[in-house]
């Protein structure tokens, strides 16, 4: 496998060590710790698994962590009232409402109800606007795109002038990562193309990419022959393709597959992220970073 593996798992440990030290320093100086509330509606297995990861990580860092689990049947009004409760709670610096939400709830309304200065997901229109404008006004870069940019930086993948092709145009990954990499800034300055389901000749776009970021949610979408030799492949796909029995716990666990055929792609690319253990661990890490930063903003430390 000639490609260098960019392991989110390892980068996560480096960043969490930095966060832990900062939390201790701020706690000793001010008595305050970052506070995060996770709001989970229903019992979708993927959402439960993501939220559990967020809770465990926050606790391991010495954050205040509040869990609010609500049934699938919750009304929009009740959910909005819950968000408002934490908008007003001064010990909470980050509010995370796990998406997707059930059909009876207007997701946009809920996101809009979160105080933008506690929106550690970076989904509120105010934060999306700040991201688009770029520069020092960016408060909460969305977690998965921020994780990708951080991985590129730490792996020293050159971005200035690079051809970046993003496959996928979601509000959570595709659109924001494209915006972040085209900014006039260190670790960015790329030429960015966003491809999607209506793109003609996806293969031709992918073949041009110095950095190929795939967030389509289609297992094995990107074929090895679409990859430019020596390029960097970031696979954001986390597709549950079956279950297996965990060797560690003896319990059934999901079998995860990326959007890229990893084994063959790793023979061609210069850098590649594995699934699992690639981009996934970075999302939670950047959420922790945003929550810590939120406390620092509130204390006037940043
Ligand atoms: N659902 C899938 N990814 C995310 C995320 O990053 N944040 C939230 N709130 N929900 C998600």
């Amino acid at each position: 496998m000639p490609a260098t593996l960019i392991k989110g798992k390892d980068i996560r440990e480096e960043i969490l060590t930095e966060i832990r030290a900062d939390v201790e320093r701020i706690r000793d100086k001010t008595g305050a710790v970052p506070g995060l509330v996770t709001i989970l509606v229903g019992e979708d297995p993927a959402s439960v698994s993501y939220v559990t990861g967020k809770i465990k990580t926050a606790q391991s860092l010495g954050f205040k962590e509040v869990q609010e689990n609500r049934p699938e049947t919750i009304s929009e009004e009740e959910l909005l009232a819950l968000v408002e409760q934490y908008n007003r709670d001064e010990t909470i610096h980050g509010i995370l409402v796990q998406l997707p939400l059930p059909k009876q709830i207007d997701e946009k309304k809920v996101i809009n109800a979160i105080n933008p200065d506690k929106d550690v997901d970076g989904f509120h229109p105010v934060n999306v606007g700040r991201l688009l404008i770029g520069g020092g006004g960016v408060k909460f870069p969305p977690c998965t795109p921020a994780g990708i940019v951080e991985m590129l930086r730490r792996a020293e993948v050159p971005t200035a002038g690079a051809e970046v092709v993003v496959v996928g145009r979601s509000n959570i990954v595709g659109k924001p990562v494209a915006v972040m990499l085209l900014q006039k800034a260190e670790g960015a300055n790329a030429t960015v193309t966003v491809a999607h389901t209506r793109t003609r000749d996806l293969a031709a776009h992918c073949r041009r990419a110095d950095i190929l970021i795939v967030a389509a949610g289609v297992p094995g979408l990107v074929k090895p022959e679409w990859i430019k030799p020596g390029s960097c492949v970031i696979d954001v796909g986390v597709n549950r393709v079956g279950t297996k029995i965990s060797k560690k716990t003896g319990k059934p666990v999901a079998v995860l597959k990326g959007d890229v055929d990893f084994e063959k792609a790793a023979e061609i690319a210069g850098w590649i992220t594995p699934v699992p253990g690639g981009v996934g661990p970075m999302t939670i890490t950047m959420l922790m970073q945003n929550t810590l930063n939120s406390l620092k903003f509130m204390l006037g430390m940043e």
Side-chain angles (χ1 to χ4, degrees):
M1 186 182 69
T4 301
L5 265 189
I6 310 180
K7 291 187 197 159
K9 260 185 166 176
D10 294 353
I11 300 175
R12 167 180 67 186
E13 294 315 314
E14 286 171 34
I15 299 175
L16 291 185
T17 302
E18 294 162 17
I19 294 177
R20 203 170 279 119
D22 227 9
V23 170
E24 274 177 28
R25 184 179 62 85
I26 295 169
R27 190 196 54 211
D28 292 347
K29 202 168 156 195
T30 69
V33 294
L36 174 69
V37 58
T38 49
I39 301 177
L40 172 65
V41 178
E43 290 169 11
D44 170 68
S47 292
V48 170
S49 155
Y50 289 139
V51 169
T52 305
K54 290 167 189 180
I55 293 166
K56 280 191 184 159
T57 310
Q59 288 171 340
S60 78
L61 293 171
F63 286 18
K64 171 179 172 172
E65 217 292 327
V66 181
Q67 299 165 44
E68 292 286 8
N69 296 351
R70 291 292 184 274
E72 185 85 19
T73 51
I74 189 173
S75 70
E76 188 177 277
E77 210 182 351
E78 284 171 295
L79 187 56
L80 290 172
L82 190 61
V83 168
E84 188 48 31
Q85 178 188 329
Y86 289 103
N87 279 341
R88 281 196 247 106
D89 186 334
E90 287 180 4
T91 66
I92 292 296
H93 311 94
I95 300 173
L96 180 131
V97 180
Q98 187 66 26
L99 305 176
L101 291 169
K103 282 192 277 315
Q104 75 276 14
I105 295 171
D106 182 345
E107 216 160 82
K108 268 191 202 153
K109 242 190 195 172
V110 175
I111 291 171
N112 289 356
I114 298 171
N115 176 349
D117 292 335
K118 294 190 178 188
D119 167 40
V120 283
D121 260 326
F123 294 166
H124 190 285
V126 166
N127 287 316
V128 176
R130 287 170 173 161
L131 190 81
L132 191 61
I133 294 165
V138 180
K139 214 163 181 182
F140 301 122
C143 304
T144 303
I148 293 170
V149 171
E150 193 61 28
M151 289 175 106
L152 293 173
R153 192 178 73 78
R154 293 199 184 219
E156 298 181 7
V157 178
T159 57
E163 289 275 353
V164 171
V165 175
V166 180
V167 183
R169 54 179 158 178
S170 69
N171 288 329
I172 294 184
V173 186
K175 281 194 251 178
V177 79
V179 164
M180 288 173 82
L181 286 171
L182 68 78
Q183 297 293 6
K184 193 169 187 173
E186 194 128 341
N189 286 316
T191 304
V192 182
T193 302
V194 183
H196 47 78
T197 42
R198 302 296 289 268
T199 295
R200 251 188 290 134
D201 203 352
L202 179 59
H205 285 285
C206 292
R207 281 194 194 105
R208 277 193 298 104
D210 300 311
I211 300 172
L212 180 61
I213 300 171
V214 193
V218 181
L221 172 72
V222 170
K223 309 293 174 247
E225 58 273 20
W226 298 5
I227 291 165
K228 180 174 170 178
S231 65
C232 174
V233 178
I234 306 285
D235 190 350
V236 190
V238 184
N239 304 295
R240 290 162 182 258
V241 293
T243 50
K244 64 175 182 188
I245 301 298
S246 162
K247 279 184 200 149
K248 255 195 216 163
T249 63
K251 288 183 185 162
V253 287
V255 177
L256 303 178
K257 198 168 182 295
D259 289 351
V260 179
D261 180 344
F262 176 82
E263 300 299 333
K264 290 187 188 131
E267 297 296 325
I268 303 162
W271 297 265
I272 192 163
T273 60
V275 177
V279 176
M282 294 301 292
T283 300
I284 295 183
T285 306
M286 301 322 282
L287 178 73
M288 300 301 133
Q289 183 74 65
N290 278 352
T291 308
L292 169 63
N293 288 349
S294 182
L295 169 64
K296 285 179 163 181
F297 292 134
M298 276 183 211
L299 293 171
M301 294 175 93
E302 200 92 323

